[in-house]
PDB file of all heavy atoms in Angstrom:
ATOM      1  N   LEU A   1     243.588 110.820 -45.316  1.00 95.00           N
ATOM      2  CA  LEU A   1     242.279 111.374 -44.984  1.00 95.00           C
ATOM      3  C   LEU A   1     241.375 111.570 -46.195  1.00 95.00           C
ATOM      4  O   LEU A   1     240.191 111.872 -46.028  1.00 95.00           O
ATOM      5  CB  LEU A   1     242.451 112.711 -44.258  1.00 95.00           C
ATOM      6  CG  LEU A   1     243.154 112.634 -42.894  1.00 95.00           C
ATOM      7  CD1 LEU A   1     243.440 114.027 -42.361  1.00 95.00           C
ATOM      8  CD2 LEU A   1     242.326 111.832 -41.891  1.00 95.00           C
ATOM      9  N   ARG A   2     241.913 111.456 -47.390  1.00 91.00           N
ATOM     10  CA  ARG A   2     241.072 111.623 -48.576  1.00 91.00           C
ATOM     11  C   ARG A   2     240.058 110.495 -48.655  1.00 91.00           C
ATOM     12  O   ARG A   2     240.245 109.406 -48.138  1.00 91.00           O
ATOM     13  CB  ARG A   2     241.929 111.683 -49.832  1.00 91.00           C
ATOM     14  CG  ARG A   2     242.757 112.958 -49.935  1.00 91.00           C
ATOM     15  CD  ARG A   2     243.610 112.995 -51.172  1.00 91.00           C
ATOM     16  NE  ARG A   2     242.801 113.105 -52.393  1.00 91.00           N
ATOM     17  CZ  ARG A   2     243.301 113.232 -53.616  1.00 91.00           C
ATOM     18  NH1 ARG A   2     244.616 113.254 -53.782  1.00 91.00           N
ATOM     19  NH2 ARG A   2     242.507 113.344 -54.668  1.00 91.00           N
ATOM     20  N   GLY A   3     238.973 110.766 -49.325  1.00 89.00           N
ATOM     21  CA  GLY A   3     237.918 109.753 -49.428  1.00 89.00           C
ATOM     22  C   GLY A   3     237.236 109.557 -48.086  1.00 89.00           C
ATOM     23  O   GLY A   3     236.872 110.511 -47.403  1.00 89.00           O
ATOM     24  N   TRP A   4     237.091 108.284 -47.698  1.00 95.00           N
ATOM     25  CA  TRP A   4     236.419 107.958 -46.441  1.00 95.00           C
ATOM     26  C   TRP A   4     237.312 108.150 -45.230  1.00 95.00           C
ATOM     27  O   TRP A   4     236.840 108.106 -44.096  1.00 95.00           O
ATOM     28  CB  TRP A   4     235.917 106.511 -46.487  1.00 95.00           C
ATOM     29  CG  TRP A   4     234.843 106.321 -47.501  1.00 95.00           C
ATOM     30  CD1 TRP A   4     234.994 105.879 -48.786  1.00 95.00           C
ATOM     31  CD2 TRP A   4     233.455 106.604 -47.333  1.00 95.00           C
ATOM     32  NE1 TRP A   4     233.782 105.861 -49.438  1.00 95.00           N
ATOM     33  CE2 TRP A   4     232.816 106.297 -48.570  1.00 95.00           C
ATOM     34  CE3 TRP A   4     232.680 107.084 -46.283  1.00 95.00           C
ATOM     35  CZ2 TRP A   4     231.446 106.456 -48.749  1.00 95.00           C
ATOM     36  CZ3 TRP A   4     231.322 107.238 -46.463  1.00 95.00           C
ATOM     37  CH2 TRP A   4     230.726 106.924 -47.683  1.00 95.00           C
ATOM     38  N   GLY A   5     238.594 108.364 -45.463  1.00 96.00           N
ATOM     39  CA  GLY A   5     239.526 108.480 -44.348  1.00 96.00           C
ATOM     40  C   GLY A   5     239.209 109.622 -43.408  1.00 96.00           C
ATOM     41  O   GLY A   5     239.424 109.517 -42.194  1.00 96.00           O
ATOM     42  N   LEU A   6     238.700 110.727 -43.946  1.00 97.00           N
ATOM     43  CA  LEU A   6     238.413 111.874 -43.098  1.00 97.00           C
ATOM     44  C   LEU A   6     237.304 111.558 -42.098  1.00 97.00           C
ATOM     45  O   LEU A   6     237.269 112.127 -41.003  1.00 97.00           O
ATOM     46  CB  LEU A   6     238.010 113.079 -43.957  1.00 97.00           C
ATOM     47  CG  LEU A   6     237.889 114.416 -43.225  1.00 97.00           C
ATOM     48  CD1 LEU A   6     239.226 114.828 -42.627  1.00 97.00           C
ATOM     49  CD2 LEU A   6     237.380 115.494 -44.160  1.00 97.00           C
ATOM     50  N   LEU A   7     236.411 110.668 -42.444  1.00 97.00           N
ATOM     51  CA  LEU A   7     235.365 110.247 -41.519  1.00 97.00           C
ATOM     52  C   LEU A   7     235.856 109.157 -40.572  1.00 97.00           C
ATOM     53  O   LEU A   7     235.561 109.188 -39.374  1.00 97.00           O
ATOM     54  CB  LEU A   7     234.142 109.743 -42.298  1.00 97.00           C
ATOM     55  CG  LEU A   7     232.982 109.187 -41.469  1.00 97.00           C
ATOM     56  CD1 LEU A   7     232.412 110.260 -40.547  1.00 97.00           C
ATOM     57  CD2 LEU A   7     231.892 108.625 -42.376  1.00 97.00           C
ATOM     58  N   ILE A   8     236.633 108.219 -41.091  1.00 97.00           N
ATOM     59  CA  ILE A   8     236.952 107.013 -40.330  1.00 97.00           C
ATOM     60  C   ILE A   8     238.184 107.188 -39.438  1.00 97.00           C
ATOM     61  O   ILE A   8     238.168 106.820 -38.257  1.00 97.00           O
ATOM     62  CB  ILE A   8     237.153 105.828 -41.286  1.00 97.00           C
ATOM     63  CG1 ILE A   8     235.840 105.524 -42.010  1.00 97.00           C
ATOM     64  CG2 ILE A   8     237.644 104.595 -40.531  1.00 97.00           C
ATOM     65  CD1 ILE A   8     235.981 104.504 -43.117  1.00 97.00           C
ATOM     66  N   VAL A   9     239.280 107.747 -39.974  1.00 97.00           N
ATOM     67  CA  VAL A   9     240.545 107.771 -39.233  1.00 97.00           C
ATOM     68  C   VAL A   9     240.451 108.572 -37.938  1.00 97.00           C
ATOM     69  O   VAL A   9     240.807 108.065 -36.865  1.00 97.00           O
ATOM     70  CB  VAL A   9     241.693 108.283 -40.136  1.00 97.00           C
ATOM     71  CG1 VAL A   9     242.976 108.456 -39.313  1.00 97.00           C
ATOM     72  CG2 VAL A   9     241.925 107.307 -41.292  1.00 97.00           C
ATOM     73  N   PRO A  10     239.990 109.838 -37.950  1.00 98.00           N
ATOM     74  CA  PRO A  10     239.886 110.552 -36.670  1.00 98.00           C
ATOM     75  C   PRO A  10     238.920 109.894 -35.697  1.00 98.00           C
ATOM     76  O   PRO A  10     239.151 109.905 -34.481  1.00 98.00           O
ATOM     77  CB  PRO A  10     239.393 111.948 -37.094  1.00 98.00           C
ATOM     78  CG  PRO A  10     239.807 112.083 -38.519  1.00 98.00           C
ATOM     79  CD  PRO A  10     239.649 110.709 -39.086  1.00 98.00           C
ATOM     80  N   MET A  11     237.843 109.306 -36.217  1.00 98.00           N
ATOM     81  CA  MET A  11     236.898 108.616 -35.345  1.00 98.00           C
ATOM     82  C   MET A  11     237.568 107.452 -34.640  1.00 98.00           C
ATOM     83  O   MET A  11     237.394 107.236 -33.425  1.00 98.00           O
ATOM     84  CB  MET A  11     235.709 108.128 -36.167  1.00 98.00           C
ATOM     85  CG  MET A  11     234.565 107.553 -35.357  1.00 98.00           C
ATOM     86  SD  MET A  11     233.272 106.918 -36.454  1.00 98.00           S
ATOM     87  CE  MET A  11     232.707 108.458 -37.224  1.00 98.00           C
ATOM     88  N   LEU A  12     238.374 106.676 -35.381  1.00 98.00           N
ATOM     89  CA  LEU A  12     239.101 105.557 -34.770  1.00 98.00           C
ATOM     90  C   LEU A  12     240.129 106.053 -33.767  1.00 98.00           C
ATOM     91  O   LEU A  12     240.353 105.415 -32.729  1.00 98.00           O
ATOM     92  CB  LEU A  12     239.773 104.720 -35.854  1.00 98.00           C
ATOM     93  CG  LEU A  12     238.829 103.928 -36.765  1.00 98.00           C
ATOM     94  CD1 LEU A  12     239.624 103.188 -37.842  1.00 98.00           C
ATOM     95  CD2 LEU A  12     237.980 102.950 -35.957  1.00 98.00           C
ATOM     96  N   LEU A  13     240.765 107.175 -34.049  1.00 98.00           N
ATOM     97  CA  LEU A  13     241.715 107.745 -33.087  1.00 98.00           C
ATOM     98  C   LEU A  13     241.006 108.128 -31.796  1.00 98.00           C
ATOM     99  O   LEU A  13     241.510 107.864 -30.697  1.00 98.00           O
ATOM    100  CB  LEU A  13     242.410 108.965 -33.694  1.00 98.00           C
ATOM    101  CG  LEU A  13     243.443 108.690 -34.782  1.00 98.00           C
ATOM    102  CD1 LEU A  13     243.942 110.002 -35.384  1.00 98.00           C
ATOM    103  CD2 LEU A  13     244.619 107.905 -34.210  1.00 98.00           C
ATOM    104  N   TRP A  14     239.843 108.762 -31.905  1.00 98.00           N
ATOM    105  CA  TRP A  14     239.079 109.114 -30.706  1.00 98.00           C
ATOM    106  C   TRP A  14     238.684 107.872 -29.913  1.00 98.00           C
ATOM    107  O   TRP A  14     238.788 107.863 -28.677  1.00 98.00           O
ATOM    108  CB  TRP A  14     237.831 109.899 -31.110  1.00 98.00           C
ATOM    109  CG  TRP A  14     238.082 111.372 -31.262  1.00 98.00           C
ATOM    110  CD1 TRP A  14     239.282 112.020 -31.234  1.00 98.00           C
ATOM    111  CD2 TRP A  14     237.086 112.381 -31.447  1.00 98.00           C
ATOM    112  NE1 TRP A  14     239.106 113.364 -31.405  1.00 98.00           N
ATOM    113  CE2 TRP A  14     237.774 113.617 -31.534  1.00 98.00           C
ATOM    114  CE3 TRP A  14     235.706 112.359 -31.556  1.00 98.00           C
ATOM    115  CZ2 TRP A  14     237.096 114.818 -31.716  1.00 98.00           C
ATOM    116  CZ3 TRP A  14     235.026 113.560 -31.746  1.00 98.00           C
ATOM    117  CH2 TRP A  14     235.719 114.772 -31.820  1.00 98.00           C
ATOM    118  N   ILE A  15     238.253 106.835 -30.607  1.00 98.00           N
ATOM    119  CA  ILE A  15     237.884 105.593 -29.918  1.00 98.00           C
ATOM    120  C   ILE A  15     239.091 104.987 -29.226  1.00 98.00           C
ATOM    121  O   ILE A  15     239.010 104.530 -28.078  1.00 98.00           O
ATOM    122  CB  ILE A  15     237.256 104.597 -30.914  1.00 98.00           C
ATOM    123  CG1 ILE A  15     235.882 105.112 -31.371  1.00 98.00           C
ATOM    124  CG2 ILE A  15     237.121 103.211 -30.286  1.00 98.00           C
ATOM    125  CD1 ILE A  15     235.266 104.290 -32.482  1.00 98.00           C
ATOM    126  N   ALA A  16     240.250 104.999 -29.903  1.00 98.00           N
ATOM    127  CA  ALA A  16     241.464 104.444 -29.311  1.00 98.00           C
ATOM    128  C   ALA A  16     241.875 105.230 -28.069  1.00 98.00           C
ATOM    129  O   ALA A  16     242.317 104.642 -27.065  1.00 98.00           O
ATOM    130  CB  ALA A  16     242.591 104.454 -30.348  1.00 98.00           C
ATOM    131  N   ILE A  17     241.756 106.557 -28.108  1.00 98.00           N
ATOM    132  CA  ILE A  17     242.099 107.373 -26.943  1.00 98.00           C
ATOM    133  C   ILE A  17     241.190 107.033 -25.771  1.00 98.00           C
ATOM    134  O   ILE A  17     241.647 106.888 -24.627  1.00 98.00           O
ATOM    135  CB  ILE A  17     242.006 108.872 -27.296  1.00 98.00           C
ATOM    136  CG1 ILE A  17     243.098 109.245 -28.307  1.00 98.00           C
ATOM    137  CG2 ILE A  17     242.127 109.741 -26.039  1.00 98.00           C
ATOM    138  CD1 ILE A  17     242.883 110.594 -28.960  1.00 98.00           C
ATOM    139  N   TYR A  18     239.902 106.877 -26.044  1.00 98.00           N
ATOM    140  CA  TYR A  18     238.987 106.518 -24.952  1.00 98.00           C
ATOM    141  C   TYR A  18     239.321 105.141 -24.383  1.00 98.00           C
ATOM    142  O   TYR A  18     239.363 104.959 -23.155  1.00 98.00           O
ATOM    143  CB  TYR A  18     237.528 106.534 -25.425  1.00 98.00           C
ATOM    144  CG  TYR A  18     236.631 105.872 -24.401  1.00 98.00           C
ATOM    145  CD1 TYR A  18     236.366 106.501 -23.192  1.00 98.00           C
ATOM    146  CD2 TYR A  18     236.123 104.581 -24.614  1.00 98.00           C
ATOM    147  CE1 TYR A  18     235.598 105.871 -22.227  1.00 98.00           C
ATOM    148  CE2 TYR A  18     235.347 103.956 -23.654  1.00 98.00           C
ATOM    149  CZ  TYR A  18     235.093 104.607 -22.460  1.00 98.00           C
ATOM    150  OH  TYR A  18     234.348 103.980 -21.500  1.00 98.00           O
ATOM    151  N   LEU A  19     239.545 104.158 -25.255  1.00 98.00           N
ATOM    152  CA  LEU A  19     239.831 102.802 -24.776  1.00 98.00           C
ATOM    153  C   LEU A  19     241.141 102.745 -23.999  1.00 98.00           C
ATOM    154  O   LEU A  19     241.290 101.929 -23.082  1.00 98.00           O
ATOM    155  CB  LEU A  19     239.868 101.830 -25.951  1.00 98.00           C
ATOM    156  CG  LEU A  19     238.527 101.590 -26.662  1.00 98.00           C
ATOM    157  CD1 LEU A  19     238.715 100.686 -27.870  1.00 98.00           C
ATOM    158  CD2 LEU A  19     237.495 101.002 -25.695  1.00 98.00           C
ATOM    159  N   ALA A  20     242.092 103.603 -24.354  1.00 98.00           N
ATOM    160  CA  ALA A  20     243.364 103.635 -23.637  1.00 98.00           C
ATOM    161  C   ALA A  20     243.231 104.304 -22.270  1.00 98.00           C
ATOM    162  O   ALA A  20     243.974 103.982 -21.337  1.00 98.00           O
ATOM    163  CB  ALA A  20     244.419 104.362 -24.470  1.00 98.00           C
ATOM    164  N   PHE A  21     242.279 105.250 -22.152  1.00 97.00           N
ATOM    165  CA  PHE A  21     242.107 105.984 -20.892  1.00 97.00           C
ATOM    166  C   PHE A  21     240.613 106.031 -20.524  1.00 97.00           C
ATOM    167  O   PHE A  21     240.025 107.106 -20.447  1.00 97.00           O
ATOM    168  CB  PHE A  21     242.649 107.411 -21.026  1.00 97.00           C
ATOM    169  CG  PHE A  21     244.078 107.487 -21.486  1.00 97.00           C
ATOM    170  CD1 PHE A  21     244.357 107.701 -22.838  1.00 97.00           C
ATOM    171  CD2 PHE A  21     245.125 107.340 -20.592  1.00 97.00           C
ATOM    172  CE1 PHE A  21     245.672 107.782 -23.276  1.00 97.00           C
ATOM    173  CE2 PHE A  21     246.437 107.414 -21.024  1.00 97.00           C
ATOM    174  CZ  PHE A  21     246.709 107.628 -22.370  1.00 97.00           C
ATOM    175  N   PRO A  22     240.005 104.871 -20.275  1.00 96.00           N
ATOM    176  CA  PRO A  22     238.536 104.849 -20.085  1.00 96.00           C
ATOM    177  C   PRO A  22     238.070 105.542 -18.810  1.00 96.00           C
ATOM    178  O   PRO A  22     236.904 105.931 -18.721  1.00 96.00           O
ATOM    179  CB  PRO A  22     238.216 103.356 -20.051  1.00 96.00           C
ATOM    180  CG  PRO A  22     239.482 102.712 -19.594  1.00 96.00           C
ATOM    181  CD  PRO A  22     240.590 103.528 -20.173  1.00 96.00           C
ATOM    182  N   ASP A  23     238.941 105.693 -17.839  1.00 93.00           N
ATOM    183  CA  ASP A  23     238.523 106.264 -16.557  1.00 93.00           C
ATOM    184  C   ASP A  23     238.861 107.744 -16.420  1.00 93.00           C
ATOM    185  O   ASP A  23     238.661 108.325 -15.350  1.00 93.00           O
ATOM    186  CB  ASP A  23     239.182 105.492 -15.399  1.00 93.00           C
ATOM    187  CG  ASP A  23     238.772 104.026 -15.371  1.00 93.00           C
ATOM    188  OD1 ASP A  23     237.592 103.749 -15.658  1.00 93.00           O
ATOM    189  OD2 ASP A  23     239.629 103.170 -15.087  1.00 93.00           O
ATOM    190  N   HIS A  24     239.370 108.327 -17.492  1.00 96.00           N
ATOM    191  CA  HIS A  24     239.768 109.735 -17.388  1.00 96.00           C
ATOM    192  C   HIS A  24     238.549 110.649 -17.438  1.00 96.00           C
ATOM    193  O   HIS A  24     237.677 110.516 -18.299  1.00 96.00           O
ATOM    194  CB  HIS A  24     240.719 110.105 -18.527  1.00 96.00           C
ATOM    195  CG  HIS A  24     241.097 111.562 -18.514  1.00 96.00           C
ATOM    196  ND1 HIS A  24     241.966 112.086 -17.598  1.00 96.00           N
ATOM    197  CD2 HIS A  24     240.690 112.602 -19.289  1.00 96.00           C
ATOM    198  CE1 HIS A  24     242.115 113.381 -17.816  1.00 96.00           C
ATOM    199  NE2 HIS A  24     241.341 113.722 -18.839  1.00 96.00           N
ATOM    200  N   ASP A  25     238.489 111.566 -16.490  1.00 93.00           N
ATOM    201  CA  ASP A  25     237.477 112.615 -16.491  1.00 93.00           C
ATOM    202  C   ASP A  25     238.154 113.934 -16.843  1.00 93.00           C
ATOM    203  O   ASP A  25     239.165 114.302 -16.236  1.00 93.00           O
ATOM    204  CB  ASP A  25     236.805 112.740 -15.119  1.00 93.00           C
ATOM    205  CG  ASP A  25     235.914 111.559 -14.804  1.00 93.00           C
ATOM    206  OD1 ASP A  25     235.275 111.039 -15.731  1.00 93.00           O
ATOM    207  OD2 ASP A  25     235.864 111.142 -13.622  1.00 93.00           O
ATOM    208  N   GLU A  26     237.593 114.629 -17.794  1.00 95.00           N
ATOM    209  CA  GLU A  26     238.177 115.885 -18.252  1.00 95.00           C
ATOM    210  C   GLU A  26     238.257 116.877 -17.094  1.00 95.00           C
ATOM    211  O   GLU A  26     237.283 117.085 -16.367  1.00 95.00           O
ATOM    212  CB  GLU A  26     237.334 116.456 -19.387  1.00 95.00           C
ATOM    213  CG  GLU A  26     238.018 117.526 -20.181  1.00 95.00           C
ATOM    214  CD  GLU A  26     237.313 117.797 -21.504  1.00 95.00           C
ATOM    215  OE1 GLU A  26     236.546 116.928 -21.959  1.00 95.00           O
ATOM    216  OE2 GLU A  26     237.544 118.869 -22.075  1.00 95.00           O
ATOM    217  N   THR A  27     239.432 117.512 -16.903  1.00 95.00           N
ATOM    218  CA  THR A  27     239.652 118.379 -15.751  1.00 95.00           C
ATOM    219  C   THR A  27     239.719 119.854 -16.108  1.00 95.00           C
ATOM    220  O   THR A  27     239.464 120.703 -15.261  1.00 95.00           O
ATOM    221  CB  THR A  27     240.957 118.013 -15.046  1.00 95.00           C
ATOM    222  OG1 THR A  27     242.081 118.331 -15.895  1.00 95.00           O
ATOM    223  CG2 THR A  27     240.999 116.531 -14.691  1.00 95.00           C
TER     224      THR A  27
END
């Protein structure tokens, strides 16, 4: 996460979670 990782890595994780579950609505 040092350097640019703190901006990029969590953002990519969030994108991956959405792409894996695109139809999920928060309950």
Side-chain angles (χ1 to χ4, degrees):
L1 296 172
R2 290 179 68 176
W4 294 95
L6 189 62
L7 177 61
I8 296 172
V9 174
M11 188 184 294
L12 291 177
L13 287 174
W14 274 8
I15 291 173
I17 293 166
Y18 167 71
L19 293 176
F21 305 97
D23 298 322
H24 177 74
D25 290 324
E26 196 165 340
T27 68

